[in-house]
C-alpha cells in the first residue's frame, strides 16, 4: 500500500468500498468438474501474457516474501479455513514448477490443486503507477512541492498500552510538550506547515498530480531532461481519506463521464483558485522518497502489471494465488471491454481494501491509467491451494 506498500490509497481515484453484505466473506470448495472447467477457461492472453511461464518472475517475488515468513505460523485464520505460511509457500513453489506445462495442460490446476471460491464475489477495482512532470529543484512552472517524510511525524501502536487495541496506530506530532494530530492537507498545502524545513524531494506542476500520486501510493517522475525517476511511498499523516472527486460529483462540479485523470484535471481548472480548497477537504496526506526501484508492494518486492493484486490479508493473505474472471476495460474510451480469465498474485494491501474487495495493479502508462480509473465491477475469484499443502491444513473449507 501499495503502496504501495502499506499505503492508504492502493485503489483507483475516488474508490468506493464494496457495499455491506449480509454474509461475512469466506470460502466454498469447488467440485472437481467445475474446477476442471475453470482451469480450462484460464487464458494468459486475456491477461496480456504470452504464456503462463511469463508469470515466473512475479511468482518468484511472492516466494521471496513467503520464504522469510515462519513456516508454521498462521497466515489465515477464518471460520472453516486456517492456513500457515508454509502451506502458501508450498503452493507457490509447486505452481512455479508447473508454469512451463500449463499452456499445454491447464488441467494440472484441477488435478493437483484445490479451488476455494471467494464469496461474496469481490468488487474488483484498479490502481496504477502515475507519471508526473516534475523537477528535482524548484524552477518556473514547477511550483508544488512533493514532500519527503517529516522528522517530527511519529507513529505508535496502541497495543503497547492495551491488548485490545493491538494493531491500532495513531500518527502524531509533539508541540510544546503536547501530542497533537499530524498536519492535515489544508495545513500543509494552504497553511504551508512544512515550508522551509527542506523536506521537498521534488517539485511538480499541479497539486492534482500530487493528489493522484498520493492516492495511488507510488509512481514515476518525468524530469525536464527526460529521465524517469521512481518515487515510492514513505509514510502518511494518519488522517481520514475523503475523496475530492466524490465531493465534486455531489456538488455538480464534475460529470461522471469526466472521471479520469485528465477529465478531473479539466474540471478542477474550471474552478480556478478554488480547486485548492476542494482538494484540501481530503485531510489525508502521503509522503514519498526517491528510489532506484520501481513501485513495490507490501511484500517489499516490485509489483507486476496485470498480475499483482492488493487484498485484505484477513481474507486473502499476501502470497496467495488468485485465479479470477472479470470484464475489464481496455486502454481507452474506444477500446472494447474484454473478459479476462487470469491468475493474480496477492502482493499488496491498502487501507481501503477490506473484505471481499480486490485492487488490481494495472501497471504504468496512459492506457493502464485509463483502465484503472474505469475498473469497478464484481469479479469471480478463487484461492488456489496445492492438494499436498491443503492436506497439511489444521482446517479446510467445507
Amino acid at each position: 500500500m501499495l503502496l504501495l506498500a502499506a499505503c492508504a490509497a492502493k485503489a483507483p481515484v475516488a474508490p468506493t468500498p464494496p457495499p455491506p453484505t449480509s454474509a461475512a466473506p469466506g470460502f466454498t470448495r469447488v467440485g472437481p468438474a467445475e474446477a476442471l472447467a475453470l482451469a480450462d477457461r484460464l487464458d494468459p492472453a486475456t491477461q496480456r501474457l504470452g504464456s503462463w511461464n511469463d508469470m515466473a518472475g512475479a511468482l518468484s517475488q511472492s516466494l521471496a516474501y513467503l520464504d522469510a515468513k515462519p513456516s508454521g505460523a498462521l497466515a489465515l485464520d477464518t471460520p472453516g479455513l486456517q492456513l500457515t505460511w508454509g502451506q502458501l509457500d508450498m503452493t507457490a513453489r509447486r505452481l512455479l514448477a508447473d508454469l512451463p506445462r500449463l499452456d499445454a495442460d491447464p488441467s494440472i490446476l484441477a488435478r493437483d490443486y484445490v479451488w476455494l471460491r471467494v464469496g461474496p464475489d469481490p468488487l474488483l477495482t484498479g490502481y496504477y503507477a502515475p507519471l508526473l512532470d516534475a523537477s528535482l529543484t524548484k524552477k518556473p512552472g514547477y511550483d508544488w512541492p512533493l514532500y519527503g517524510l517529516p522528522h517530527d511525524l511519529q507513529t505508535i501502536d496502541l497495543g503497547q498500552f492495551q491488548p485490545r487495541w493491538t494493531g491500532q496506530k495513531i500518527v502524531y506530532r509533539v508541540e510544546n510538550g503536547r501530542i497533537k494530530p499530524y498536519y492535515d492537507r489544508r495545513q500543509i498545502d494552504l497553511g504551508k506547515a512544512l515550508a522551509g524545513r527542506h523536506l521537498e524531494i521534488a517539485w511538480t506542476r499541479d497539486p492534482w498530480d500530487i493528489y493522484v500520486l498520493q492516492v495511488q501510493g507510488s509512481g514515476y517522475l518525468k524530469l525536464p531532461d527526460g529521465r524517469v525517476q521512481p518515487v515510492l511511498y514513505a509514510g502518511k499523516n494518519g488522517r481520514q481519506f475523503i475523496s475530492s472527486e466524490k465531493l465534486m460529483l455531489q456538488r455538480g462540479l464534475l460529470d461522471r463521464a469526466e472521471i479520469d485523470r485528465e477529465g478531473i484535471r479539466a474540471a478542477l481548472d474550471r474552478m480556478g483558485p478554488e480547486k485548492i480548497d476542494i482538494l484540501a477537504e481530503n485531510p489525508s496526506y502521503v509522503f514519498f522518497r526517491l528510489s532506484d526501484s520501481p513501485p513495490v508492494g507490501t511484500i517489499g518486492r516490485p509489483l507486476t502489471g496485470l498480475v499483482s493484486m492488493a487484498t485484505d490479508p484477513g481474507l486473502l493473505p499476501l502470497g496467495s494465488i488468485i485465479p479470477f474472471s472479470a470484464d475489464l476495460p481496455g486502454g481507452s474510451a474506444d477500446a472494447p471491454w474484454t473478459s479476462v480469465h487470469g491468475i493474480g498474485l496477492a502482493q499488496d494491501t491498502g487501507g481501503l481494501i477490506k473484505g471481499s474487495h480486490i485492487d488490481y495493479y494495472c501497471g504504468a502508462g496512459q492506457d493502464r491509467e485509463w483502465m484503472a480509473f474505469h475498473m469497478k465491477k464484481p469479479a469471480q475469484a478463487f484461492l488456489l491451494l496445492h492438494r499436498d499443502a491443503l492436506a497439511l491444513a489444521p482446517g479446510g473449507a467445507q
Side-chain angles (χ1 to χ4, degrees), residues 295-338:
V296 298
T298 309
I299 63 170
R301 300 279 175 160
L303 297 172
T304 301
L306 303 181
V307 174
S308 299
M309 291 177 161
T311 62
D312 181 346
L315 180 67
L316 292 165
L318 291 168
S320 297
I321 296 164
I322 308 169
F324 71 101
S325 295
D327 291 332
L328 301 184
S332 70
D334 299 327
W337 286 58
T338 58

Side-chain angles (χ1 to χ4, degrees), residues 55-66 299-304 345 347:
M55 284 188 61
L59 192 54
S60 295
Q61 303 287 15
S62 289
L63 271 168
Y65 172 80
L66 292 170
I299 63 170
R301 300 279 175 160
L303 297 172
T304 301
L345 302 178
Q347 297 183 326

Side-chain angles (χ1 to χ4, degrees), residues 11-56:
V13 174
T16 301
T21 58
S22 57
F27 302 95
T28 304
R29 187 162 177 164
V30 170
E34 185 181 0
L36 181 59
L38 290 167
D40 285 341
R41 187 172 63 174
L42 291 175
D43 183 355
T46 65
Q47 208 171 343
R48 303 194 190 184
L49 298 172
S51 163
W52 286 125
N53 205 41
D54 291 348
M55 284 188 61

Side-chain angles (χ1 to χ4, degrees), residues 53-213:
N53 205 41
D54 291 348
M55 284 188 61
L59 192 54
S60 295
Q61 303 287 15
S62 289
L63 271 168
Y65 172 80
L66 292 170
D67 285 346
K69 304 296 286 186
S71 179
L74 284 178
L76 179 67
D77 187 5
T78 61
L81 183 63
Q82 292 179 316
L83 293 172
T84 64
W85 292 110
Q87 291 168 297
L88 295 179
D89 187 281
M90 178 186 291
T91 297
R93 197 165 297 282
R94 296 291 179 88
L95 181 60
L96 184 62
D98 287 334
L99 285 180
R101 300 185 292 143
L102 286 187
D103 293 341
D105 187 10
S107 64
I108 292 171
L109 293 180
R111 293 196 307 269
D112 296 343
Y113 296 79
V114 171
W115 294 57
L116 303 178
R117 185 188 306 275
V118 179
D121 285 346
L123 174 70
L124 190 69
T125 53
Y127 66 110
Y128 71 104
L131 177 67
L132 286 68
D133 285 333
S135 170
L136 299 183
T137 58
K138 188 175 184 181
K139 58 177 59 180
Y142 298 90
D143 300 316
W144 291 92
L146 191 66
Y147 286 117
L149 189 67
H151 301 300
D152 62 340
L153 185 148
Q154 303 291 323
T155 302
I156 192 167
D157 187 339
L158 296 179
Q160 298 179 54
F161 302 93
Q162 174 56 253
R164 70 173 181 269
W165 295 336
T166 297
Q168 299 183 49
K169 297 181 179 181
I170 59 169
V171 180
Y172 65 96
R173 60 188 176 91
V174 177
E175 183 178 301
N176 298 324
R178 301 177 68 94
I179 290 177
K180 291 191 173 185
Y182 205 76
Y183 301 114
D184 62 16
R185 183 178 300 273
R186 184 172 298 278
Q187 292 170 308
I188 294 172
D189 282 351
L190 297 180
K192 308 299 182 184
L194 300 182
R197 295 174 54 180
H198 307 291
L199 295 172
E200 300 87 353
I201 62 170
W203 297 83
T204 70
R205 292 187 180 278
D206 194 282
W208 168 242
D209 286 336
I210 294 176
Y211 181 97
V212 170
L213 181 65

Side-chain angles (χ1 to χ4, degrees), residues 210-247:
I210 294 176
Y211 181 97
V212 170
L213 181 65
Q214 291 176 329
V215 171
Q216 300 305 318
S218 62
Y220 299 92
L221 306 180
K222 185 178 179 182
L223 304 179
D225 62 5
R227 286 182 296 136
V228 174
Q229 168 68 58
V231 60
L232 305 183
Y233 171 90
K236 59 183 178 180
N237 67 347
R239 300 292 190 124
Q240 179 186 5
F241 176 84
I242 296 175
S243 168
S244 296
E245 304 88 289
K246 188 176 291 186
L247 293 177

